Amino acid sequence: MAFTRKKSKRRLKKRLCLLLAAALTLFAINRFESKISVFSSSYLPAFARQTTTDAVCRAVREVLDEGGFGYEDFVRVRYSGGKAAAVETDAAAINSFKSKVVAKAEEECEKIHNSTMHIPLGAFTGLSLISNYGPKIPLSYCLTGSFSAELQSTFESAGLNQTIHHIRLVVTSHIVTASVDYKDTMTFSTDFEIAQSVIVGDIPTTYGGYYTPIR
């Protein structure tokens, strides 16, 4: 009879230990899930923006490398009497270049549609001393979006009777990111200087011919 009671007590203790372990596990999972929500809203936008910017940079670099574009592919400076009389831009070449950049950016974005960021396990403890330590916890998310491109023209004084003409490409990204517990839409721009030239004389104000001014 005494043996049976001891056996029953052991079973009860075992059950209580299992229940306690289950309760602690559920608490840890709930705590972990709540931390993931916090990290998703703070980490994911920055990570997605960095990932997208890298993709846009690759796209622009590939288009420039493949086409070998230079200043004269977009702009021609007309001189009269040894002075710059007009700056003319080739609309067809500009539109073709922008289309290639947008297409390549969309292609690069498709490659990172399903992405993963990694956060150290220590970051989930809330303790700053160990926040950067521990195994990396993968958090997956989806990324998609659209792009637009514009060329911008600026002039900068380069000393006596000289002006530097800069041609910049501005790529605007409209990105949607989504994970299990987070969704966000971001719009941001990345700019690149793709060509420049020194113009001798005052900044010309005349545009003409087949070409149209960069806006």
Side-chain angles (χ1 to χ4, degrees), residues 8-213:
S8 298
K9 288 182 179 180
R10 288 175 183 175
R11 287 179 178 174
L12 181 59
K13 288 181 179 180
K14 188 175 181 180
R15 289 176 181 174
L16 289 174
C17 289
L18 289 174
L19 288 173
L20 180 61
L24 290 174
T25 300
L26 289 174
F27 176 79
I29 291 175
N30 183 65
R31 179 74 174 175
F32 188 77
E33 287 290 340
S34 64
K35 284 291 185 179
I36 287 180
S37 299
V38 173
F39 285 127
S40 293
S41 61
S42 57
Y43 277 66
L44 199 153
F47 190 83
R49 180 167 183 156
Q50 177 187 342
T51 304
T52 304
T53 300
D54 290 343
V56 170
C57 289
R58 288 195 302 271
V60 174
R61 185 169 58 249
E62 288 182 26
V63 172
L64 290 174
D65 290 344
E66 291 173 0
F69 295 97
Y71 182 82
E72 294 184 353
D73 292 302
F74 305 108
V75 177
R76 296 180 187 178
V77 181
R78 303 300 185 189
Y79 288 89
S80 176
K83 295 182 178 181
V87 173
E88 301 171 336
T89 58
D90 190 333
I94 289 173
N95 290 333
S96 175
F97 175 72
K98 292 193 298 184
S99 296
K100 290 179 180 179
V101 169
V102 170
K104 183 63 71 172
E106 291 174 348
E107 180 182 318
E108 291 295 325
C109 185
E110 183 63 28
K111 294 178 182 178
I112 57 173
H113 175 72
N114 295 309
S115 300
T116 303
M117 61 179 176
H118 296 83
I119 301 177
L121 181 61
F124 293 91
T125 64
L127 302 175
S128 58
L129 290 176
I130 60 173
S131 61
N132 292 323
Y133 296 95
K136 303 292 185 180
I137 306 300
L139 298 179
S140 299
Y141 68 95
C142 295
L143 182 153
T144 187
S146 60
F147 303 87
S148 60
E150 291 295 332
L151 287 183
Q152 295 182 354
S153 176
T154 59
F155 296 88
E156 175 189 1
S157 175
L160 183 63
N161 205 39
Q162 288 186 335
T163 302
I164 300 178
H165 184 196
H166 300 273
I167 300 177
R168 296 167 54 246
L169 169 70
V170 179
V171 180
T172 301
S173 306
H174 308 277
I175 302 301
V176 177
T177 57
S179 63
V180 174
D181 52 7
Y182 182 79
K183 183 177 181 180
D184 189 28
T185 301
M186 299 179 294
T187 298
F188 57 91
S189 297
T190 310
D191 61 275
F192 309 84
E193 178 147 343
I194 60 173
Q196 63 173 259
S197 181
V198 175
I199 299 175
V200 178
D202 296 331
I203 299 174
T205 57
T206 303
Y207 300 86
Y210 167 76
Y211 305 95
T212 56

